[in-house]
């Protein structure tokens, strides 16, 4: 079965940095996307960044210039380097995986999620 395991969350002061990791396994997609999402208190879960099967990376406007997504060569682990953290970045961060809609294009919603990791910025 599909598994995603996130790690690296924690508490940090405003302006600080954290690096999240997510390892995926168990899926058999030939072409797939990995993404990072955030669920903040009182808000809907939002896509922060994703990477296509071709390695193209997209960012939500709220994290552009501050967060960096990267992926290992095996394409099973994805990282999210978060710098210049703000209080509004507080939330539970999830990683997701799903099949590409077509080559180079990620779905708008992902079908598989990890358990999430808490990030608190104060």
């Amino acid at each position: 079965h599909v598994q995603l395991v996130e790690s690296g969350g924690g508490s940090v002061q405003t302006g600080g940095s954290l690096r999240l990791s997510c390892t995926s396994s168990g899926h058999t997609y030939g072409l797939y996307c990995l993404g990072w999402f955030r669920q903040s208190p009182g808000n809907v879960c939002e896509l922060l960044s994703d990477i296509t099967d071709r390695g193209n990376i997209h960012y939500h406007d709220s994290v552009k210039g501050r967060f960096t997504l990267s992926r290992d060569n095996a394409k099973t682990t994805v990282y999210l380097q978060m710098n210049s953290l703000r209080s509004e970045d507080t939330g539970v961060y999830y990683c997701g995986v799903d099949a590409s809609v077509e080559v180079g294009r990620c779905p708008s919603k992902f079908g598989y999620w990890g358990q999430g990791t808490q990030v608190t910025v104060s």
Side-chain angles (χ1 to χ4, degrees):
H1 64 286
V2 179
Q3 277 193 309
L4 297 126
V5 180
E6 302 103 334
S7 62
S11 296
V12 65
Q13 292 185 334
T14 299
S17 299
L18 284 173
R19 188 186 193 220
L20 307 182
S21 300
C22 169
T23 299
S24 63
S25 63
H27 67 80
T28 57
Y29 301 131
L31 299 175
Y32 58 93
C33 295
L34 289 163
W36 283 101
F37 299 77
R38 178 174 65 207
Q39 177 75 64
S40 300
N43 293 323
V44 299
C45 190
E46 59 181 351
L47 173 64
L48 300 179
S49 181
D50 62 20
I51 182 166
T52 72
D53 46 86
R54 288 186 167 183
N56 297 320
I57 300 172
H58 307 100
Y59 296 98
H60 189 278
D61 286 346
S62 65
V63 304
K64 278 181 183 176
R66 300 189 300 123
F67 291 11
T68 302
L69 184 152
S70 60
R71 185 180 64 187
D72 71 340
N73 289 336
K75 300 182 181 181
T76 58
T77 299
V78 63
Y79 307 93
L80 189 67
Q81 177 66 42
M82 305 187 295
N83 298 329
S84 302
L85 283 162
R86 307 166 180 167
S87 58
E88 54 263 40
D89 293 318
T90 293
V92 181
Y93 285 67
Y94 297 91
C95 125
V97 66
D98 210 331
S100 299
V101 174
E102 58 186 11
V103 174
R105 188 158 76 97
C106 292
S108 57
K109 295 181 180 180
F110 284 47
Y112 294 97
W113 302 76
Q115 82 288 351
T117 185
Q118 176 71 43
V119 171
T120 303
V121 185
S122 60

